[in-house]
Amino acid sequence: MSYIAHSENQEGRVHLLREHLLRTAERMREFSFSEELKPLLGIVGLLHDIGKYQEEFQDYLKKGGEKGSVPHAKWGAMLTRSNLINCTWFSFPIYGHHSGLPDHADWKPNTDLECDENLKKNLKAVLSHAKEDIPDIEEQIKKQWDEAKKVLDKYKDKKLAHDLMIRYIFSCLTDADWIDTDEHYFPEHGEHRSGRVLDPDAAQEKLDAHLREIESENAMNKLRAASRAQALSKAQDPLGFYSLHLPTGLGKTLTSFYWALMHAKKHGLKRIIIVLPYTSIIDQTAEILKDILGEDQVLEHHGGIIFEDSDKDQNKQDYIKKFAVENWNFPVIVTTSVQFFETLFSNKSSKCRKLHNIARSVVIFDEVQTLKKDIAAPTLKMLENVQDLFGCSFLFCTATMPVFQKRDKFDGLEKITPLIQDPQVLYNQVQRVTYHTLADLKEIDLFNVRERLLSVGQSALVIFNLKETTKNFYIQMRKEGVWEKVYHLSAFMCPKHRKEMIGLIRDDLHKQKKILVISTQLVEAGVDFDFPVVMRELGPLSSVIQAAGRCNREGKMGEGAGRVYIFLLKDTGYPGGEYKEEAEFTLEFIKEDPQRIHHLDLFQDYYQKVIDLYVKSKTEITNKREAYEKPEFKTIAQMYRVIEDTGTTAIFIRGYDSQSEKLYRRMAEKIKDGHKMSKEDRRHLQQYSVQVYNNFFQEAEGYYEPLGDQIYVWNGIYHKEIGITLKNIDEEENII
């Protein structure tokens, strides 16, 4: 009898179960980052679909039936708990390789042979059919098990390491299983899967050429070169945790990448993964690296990225990258914190497929101060285990380094090695701005902000905490006539609109026009503006410093010539609870002397107090940390959130331009024909969408309509400068 794993493909060929099990096992062995893990992974590959040897499952494949009506994953999971090997390490990944890693309470009764005598009989029949198809399958498993046991003994007393290794096995299995199944149905996909590996020598040659081209002999470039040389002196150090603490504008992106390149070369690491908090920074960082290394070396991965595949010859790079985002098999990855931590903490196969390719990598966390403080402890504990088990190195980069080391009442990292021995020296040399406060940080209103702004006589950037405040101040200032142009930037505008405005602002600054930009904090990372004056509403210390990084950025005005004004608004609000608490800490630290911001000891005191606040006062964090120490994969995935659910919904701006209108008509037609929108469709919509809070729908009743599931179309006012609005702020303005 021919046992099959999957139904006929387009060529009319069935996927033989024997071939699928052997190929999945071999591919899993190839994924292994060490020789000693290969037997362990080989066993899981052989057993994962052994439940398809059920007669009922073969009938289901050949005759048809409701999807999922004949479960198959539990049989391999049960077999791993039998006398054959009796190993829960294998049972969890096999049981969840379609539905996701389960909690203990779901896994145990569904894989326990002692509960049901009929299960034992049926399992014997399944194994008998498997031996008929692969005569030596039992011998292969037992032989590999003798080797695998030696590995398992190393980790049996390390609870979190044990759980991470289960996730690693799960990742290897889901990726290998998916690839083999996909290539059965679409054989041509195999040639488009990336086999590229990091070539440090070739990358270094290109990076050196780029640096020679861009770096002149001015003082700032000499400082960049000196700090880079100091960092590179530690590239030969052992695998572990490192920090790069550099002032804004001192070449952090290229210095960190150069160090990672040399560190990877020293230790034979496979790839460099750059983790960033915002898509705006990702776009910029990815473009820089693509320009240096080549399009074929850098994979950009975030929710808004779209890889076209309508013409597979014309867009070959996009087609290759379309597959590479599934498992990160690429030399250089530039991605988001959300993508990275979901890979480590999720229980879903689609998220975890990438995890095995984090092994043997250098991971750069840029803007690491944005890491959520309330989940800092479990996050750092996970990274510690990843570093230890997978042979990785982590580099934390920021201008304002948090205190992540272990200390009393905070279970942080044992050791973080700084690449810059005395960063305060560099901070003293690049004090491009002076800090000032308005009204000694007593509460003022927008009129007072306006008065100071009118007195500065130069181009200026003003940053507020809230969108509504930003909009109101823009409306007040846009007709002043003092500036050649006044711009507004906020999340009331769709991403494409913001990107276009940022381009215009950069162009005006390059032409040395006198302009005013009024923005939310979205400009504080990844947007390289250079203003002589920046005014910043009081916020978290990191936000204030990031705002200052948009002032006299290149130092062309001279030392300390940039002016940063910090002010506290009356009757204001904050984006969230954490933001408000950190803003209050900032007030406490700088009220007496804002020039303290130039001193690094302020950062340490500030971040220690912030982190301690969450460790001590938030009881739910204690509960979370206790849960992380249990094998409750589904529960952990639900509890761990890099970004909290803000209760926002996307509204698509159909009339933004001709392209958005065409996109709307295409989506509407698709839904009318009974089809659902794909992930690719939703990504196309994102560039024209605005996220609004749910109470907005009550205020805007009658101005929107549904488009498919959980997406709405905006039919109201979209102002060419403000974005989405309920009021026509100027009857004479053109409305998009």
Side-chain angles (χ1 to χ4, degrees):
M1 178 180 176
S2 293
Y3 295 94
I4 62 176
H6 300 100
S7 56
E8 294 179 352
N9 60 16
Q10 294 174 345
E11 298 170 355
R13 186 177 66 84
V14 297
H15 197 187
L16 294 177
L17 183 50
R18 179 181 186 277
E19 291 179 0
H20 179 55
L21 295 180
L22 293 172
R23 287 175 183 168
T24 301
E26 184 54 36
R27 187 169 263 119
M28 289 182 69
R29 290 170 61 89
E30 290 171 359
F31 287 162
S32 179
F33 67 86
S34 73
E35 284 294 320
E36 68 176 8
L37 289 176
K38 287 185 175 181
L40 183 152
L41 296 171
I43 292 172
V44 175
L46 281 173
L47 290 178
H48 82 285
D49 269 357
I50 203 168
K52 291 185 177 182
Y53 281 111
Q54 297 173 82
E55 292 180 4
E56 294 89 344
F57 196 89
Q58 292 299 306
D59 287 342
Y60 159 76
L61 285 177
K62 293 169 184 175
K63 299 176 184 177
E66 185 180 347
K67 186 177 180 180
S69 58
V70 186
H72 68 274
K74 71 175 184 179
W75 295 94
M78 285 191 291
L79 195 56
T80 61
R81 296 186 65 190
S82 71
N83 292 332
L84 183 63
I85 50 178
N86 192 19
C87 178
T88 58
W89 280 54
F90 304 153
S91 187
F92 272 93
I94 292 173
Y95 181 79
H97 75 273
H98 288 298
S99 58
L101 282 171
D103 281 348
H104 187 274
D106 295 325
W107 160 82
K108 186 174 182 180
N110 287 308
T111 59
D112 191 353
L113 286 169
E114 301 305 317
C115 295
D116 192 335
E117 285 297 321
N118 287 329
L119 284 178
K120 290 184 181 180
K121 293 178 183 178
N122 292 339
L123 186 59
K124 285 182 181 179
V126 166
L127 187 56
S128 175
H129 293 155
K131 290 163 73 174
E132 175 189 331
D133 202 29
I134 310 175
D136 65 340
I137 188 171
E138 199 166 359
E139 288 72 24
Q140 285 191 50
I141 291 168
K142 287 180 178 178
K143 181 181 177 181
Q144 293 182 95
W145 175 235
D146 289 338
E147 295 298 314
K149 279 191 293 187
K150 300 174 186 176
V151 180
L152 301 181
D153 286 343
K154 290 183 180 182
Y155 303 108
K156 64 182 180 182
D157 295 325
K158 297 181 179 180
K159 184 62 182 172
L160 293 177
H162 170 274
D163 290 356
L164 180 58
M165 287 303 294
I166 290 176
R167 291 179 184 276
Y168 176 77
I169 297 167
F170 179 65
S171 171
C172 291
L173 172 58
T174 53
D175 195 26
D177 183 30
W178 185 276
I179 290 173
D180 193 63
T181 303
D182 183 66
E183 291 183 1
H184 162 67
Y185 287 111
F186 306 100
E188 71 276 11
H189 285 180
E191 64 184 278
H192 293 291
R193 295 190 186 277
S194 172
R196 299 188 179 105
V197 294
L198 182 68
D199 183 341
D201 291 325
Q204 182 186 4
E205 186 177 334
K206 292 177 180 178
L207 186 52
D208 283 337
H210 175 78
L211 291 170
R212 285 193 297 270
E213 182 181 329
I214 66 169
E215 290 195 343
S216 57
E217 288 297 310
N218 63 36
M220 185 64 75
N221 281 331
K222 286 180 180 178
L223 279 176
R224 287 171 181 149
S227 59
R228 185 165 60 247
Q230 190 178 158
L232 290 177
S233 70
K234 294 187 179 295
Q236 308 300 307
D237 285 9
L239 297 173
F241 288 93
Y242 293 85
S243 65
L244 179 61
H245 197 169
L246 285 178
T248 302
L250 216 57
K252 180 161 46 74
T253 298
L254 293 185
T255 294
S256 62
F257 186 78
Y258 208 143
W259 176 87
L261 205 55
M262 295 300 93
H263 194 64
K265 181 179 179 179
K266 165 67 177 175
H267 296 286
L269 305 182
K270 298 188 298 182
R271 62 183 49 82
I272 296 171
I273 302 171
I274 302 170
V275 184
L276 297 152
Y278 313 115
T279 56
S280 58
I281 320 178
I282 289 178
D283 293 339
Q284 179 173 287
T285 302
E287 283 306 312
I288 291 170
L289 294 177
K290 287 175 188 176
D291 185 53
I292 297 169
L293 305 175
E295 184 76 32
D296 63 340
Q297 295 297 303
V298 181
L299 176 68
E300 187 179 356
H301 184 199
H302 56 79
I305 199 73
I306 302 167
F307 297 114
E308 303 286 0
D309 62 357
S310 55
D311 186 336
K312 298 177 180 60
D313 294 323
Q314 186 177 350
N315 298 301
K316 187 175 180 181
Q317 283 301 330
D318 273 4
Y319 202 53
I320 290 171
K321 290 181 177 182
K322 183 182 176 70
F323 292 110
V325 297
E326 297 171 351
N327 64 4
W328 285 359
N329 186 16
F330 222 74
V332 179
I333 314 289
V334 186
T335 191
T336 61
S337 306
V338 174
Q339 289 286 348
F340 187 83
F341 287 117
E342 279 186 345
T343 302
L344 294 180
F345 284 94
S346 176
N347 70 320
K348 297 297 183 185
S349 58
S350 59
K351 304 289 187 185
C352 293
R353 277 183 66 184
K354 308 182 293 289
L355 188 148
H356 70 91
N357 276 325
I358 293 175
R360 302 296 295 164
S361 297
V362 185
V363 182
I364 300 171
F365 280 101
D366 204 353
E367 307 297 348
V368 73
Q369 78 281 354
T370 60
L371 178 69
K372 281 177 64 62
K373 312 304 184 298
D374 63 342
I375 52 175
T379 298
L380 294 173
K381 184 58 64 177
M382 174 64 88
L383 295 183
E384 197 169 49
N385 279 282
V386 169
Q387 192 282 315
D388 180 40
L389 296 179
F390 294 171
C392 297
S393 276
F394 290 93
L395 176 61
F396 297 137
C397 299
T398 182
T400 55
M401 186 62 68
V403 185
F404 284 160
Q405 289 93 337
K406 184 187 288 286
R407 60 182 185 277
D408 185 39
K409 297 182 181 179
F410 179 67
D411 192 16
L413 300 171
E414 290 286 352
K415 180 183 179 183
I416 305 175
T417 302
L419 298 185
I420 303 298
Q421 205 58 44
D422 190 357
Q424 185 65 63
V425 172
L426 291 174
Y427 276 78
N428 293 340
Q429 291 175 301
V430 293
Q431 288 188 14
R432 300 183 298 271
V433 305
T434 54
Y435 290 94
H436 309 269
T437 61
L438 298 188
D440 296 325
L441 285 178
K442 295 182 177 67
E443 291 185 343
I444 60 175
D445 56 27
L446 289 178
F447 177 80
N448 301 119
V449 178
R450 172 184 174 275
E451 290 299 300
R452 175 50 62 93
L453 192 55
L454 289 172
S455 71
V456 300
Q458 294 175 286
S459 290
L461 168 65
V462 186
I463 302 173
F464 293 99
N465 292 326
L466 297 178
K467 292 182 293 184
E468 197 66 34
T469 312
T470 305
K471 182 182 76 171
N472 291 339
F473 193 65
Y474 170 77
I475 293 170
Q476 182 180 343
M477 299 300 296
R478 67 193 178 112
K479 302 271 176 131
E480 285 290 347
V482 175
W483 295 271
E484 293 179 61
K485 179 71 176 176
V486 180
Y487 290 96
H488 166 269
L489 284 172
S490 85
F492 279 137
M493 305 153 73
C494 67
K496 186 171 184 182
H497 190 181
R498 295 200 303 266
K499 191 172 183 179
E500 289 170 353
M501 291 299 104
I502 288 169
L504 292 173
I505 293 166
R506 281 179 171 149
D507 189 51
D508 281 352
L509 288 172
H510 180 71
K511 293 175 181 176
Q512 297 186 327
K513 290 185 177 181
K514 184 180 175 182
I515 63 171
L516 171 63
V517 176
I518 300 165
S519 177
T520 59
Q521 60 265 30
L522 66 85
V523 298
E524 290 175 348
V527 183
D528 291 343
F529 289 162
D530 191 353
F531 283 86
V533 174
V534 170
M535 301 180 70
R536 194 2 168 140
E537 183 181 359
L538 185 73
L541 182 61
S542 58
S543 297
V544 172
I545 293 168
Q546 289 285 3
R550 315 309 115 187
C551 185
N552 193 20
R553 186 175 180 85
E554 295 299 319
K556 294 176 182 178
M557 296 172 58
E559 184 177 342
R563 288 176 288 163
V564 177
Y565 296 93
I566 307 164
F567 58 91
L568 177 61
L569 275 186
K570 188 185 300 181
D571 301 323
T572 189
Y574 294 93
E578 286 186 20
Y579 196 101
K580 181 177 185 293
E581 288 164 343
E582 291 189 39
E584 290 171 350
F585 282 154
T586 303
L587 178 62
E588 175 186 332
F589 277 96
I590 71 170
K591 189 170 185 178
E592 297 302 321
D593 180 14
Q595 302 311 319
R596 281 193 68 198
I597 297 175
H598 290 301
H599 300 285
L600 297 187
D601 59 351
L602 174 68
F603 303 159
Q604 294 177 341
D605 293 344
Y606 170 84
Y607 277 113
Q608 181 164 332
K609 187 164 185 176
V610 168
I611 291 175
D612 287 351
L613 170 71
Y614 294 109
V615 171
K616 293 174 183 175
S617 68
K618 295 206 170 184
T619 56
E620 68 267 24
I621 303 312
T622 304
N623 297 334
K624 284 184 182 181
R625 290 178 63 194
E626 288 175 356
Y628 288 133
E629 294 171 3
K630 302 173 184 177
E632 307 293 346
F633 298 103
K634 185 176 179 180
T635 298
I636 289 171
Q638 292 169 344
M639 292 170 66
Y640 187 93
R641 290 287 183 270
V642 179
I643 295 180
E644 297 292 343
D645 181 4
T646 57
T648 62
T649 303
I651 287 192
F652 173 67
I653 314 302
R654 62 175 287 186
Y656 179 76
D657 58 16
S658 60
Q659 289 300 112
S660 64
E661 184 64 32
K662 285 179 185 177
L663 182 57
Y664 165 74
R665 294 185 185 280
R666 192 167 79 239
M667 292 300 103
E669 192 66 29
K670 186 172 186 176
I671 292 166
K672 183 181 176 182
D673 291 341
H675 301 294
K676 289 187 175 181
M677 281 188 283
S678 66
K679 287 183 180 179
E680 293 297 300
D681 292 333
R682 291 177 183 272
R683 285 173 182 154
H684 280 288
L685 292 171
Q686 279 180 5
Q687 62 182 320
Y688 296 107
S689 295
V690 174
Q691 293 289 331
V692 298
Y693 287 98
N694 293 336
N695 60 5
F696 178 84
F697 289 96
Q698 296 175 347
E699 301 172 33
E701 191 172 354
Y703 292 108
Y704 60 89
E705 61 180 295
L707 178 67
D709 182 32
Q710 295 183 328
I711 290 182
Y712 295 86
V713 177
W714 181 244
N715 295 319
I717 300 169
Y718 190 89
H719 194 278
K720 67 180 182 181
E721 296 165 13
I722 292 293
I724 196 168
T725 180
L726 294 173
K727 298 176 182 177
N728 191 343
I729 64 170
D730 189 335
E731 294 293 336
E732 298 178 359
E733 286 286 345
N734 293 321
I735 304 300
I736 292 176

